[in-house]
Amino acid sequence: MTSQSGVDGLLRAVREYFDLMYDSDVSRFDRVFRPTAQLHGLRDGKMRMLTAQAYREILATAPSPQSQGAPREEEVLFLDITSPTQALVKVRVRISALVYVDYLSYHRVDGEWLVSAKAFHVESNLAAAA
């Protein structure tokens, strides 16, 4: 059983993930993603795999949703804490015109929850729908 402080810590980590997705402040990247994390998902019908470093570079160079004045939309859809050191969180997050559903695998090491893997799905493209 995970303590309430473990649950609170995981929810704080998810908030940090949402903050990073909105403001793209890569100075906080290492407080969200493990350096060994990988990201997988389909974009334009093709499987895409990114290392944590490649994703960090994308965030560092692309305009952030915040800088574009995009609305901030995010929600936790599912939270499963397997043990005091492993959890899975399903979230929906809007990044500019794209709405993603992400599965975030977290591992807790030295008291810190960090994303060790991310599977992403583009749920909708609001620009294409307009």
Side-chain angles (χ1 to χ4, degrees), residues 102-120:
D102 297 334
Y103 284 91
L104 305 172
S105 292
Y106 280 89
H107 283 88
R108 184 178 181 195
V109 178
D110 298 327
E112 297 295 323
W113 289 105
L114 296 176
V115 175
S116 56
K118 172 179 169 175
F120 61 89

Side-chain angles (χ1 to χ4, degrees), residues 24 57-65 67-68:
S24 300
E57 290 169 15
I58 289 169
L59 289 177
T61 57
S64 71
S67 71
Q68 296 175 324

Side-chain angles (χ1 to χ4, degrees), residues 52-105:
Q53 183 59 36
Y55 190 53
R56 179 189 189 121
E57 290 169 15
I58 289 169
L59 289 177
T61 57
S64 71
Q66 182 180 37
S67 71
Q68 296 175 324
R72 187 167 178 162
E73 297 174 17
E74 59 211 21
E75 64 182 309
V76 174
L77 302 172
F78 176 79
L79 183 93
D80 180 18
I81 300 175
T82 308
S83 74
T85 60
Q86 182 181 5
L88 176 69
V89 182
K90 179 181 178 183
V91 300
R92 179 177 288 116
V93 61
R94 179 177 175 172
I95 302 175
S96 298
L98 297 177
V99 178
Y100 289 89
V101 173
D102 297 334
Y103 284 91
L104 305 172
S105 292

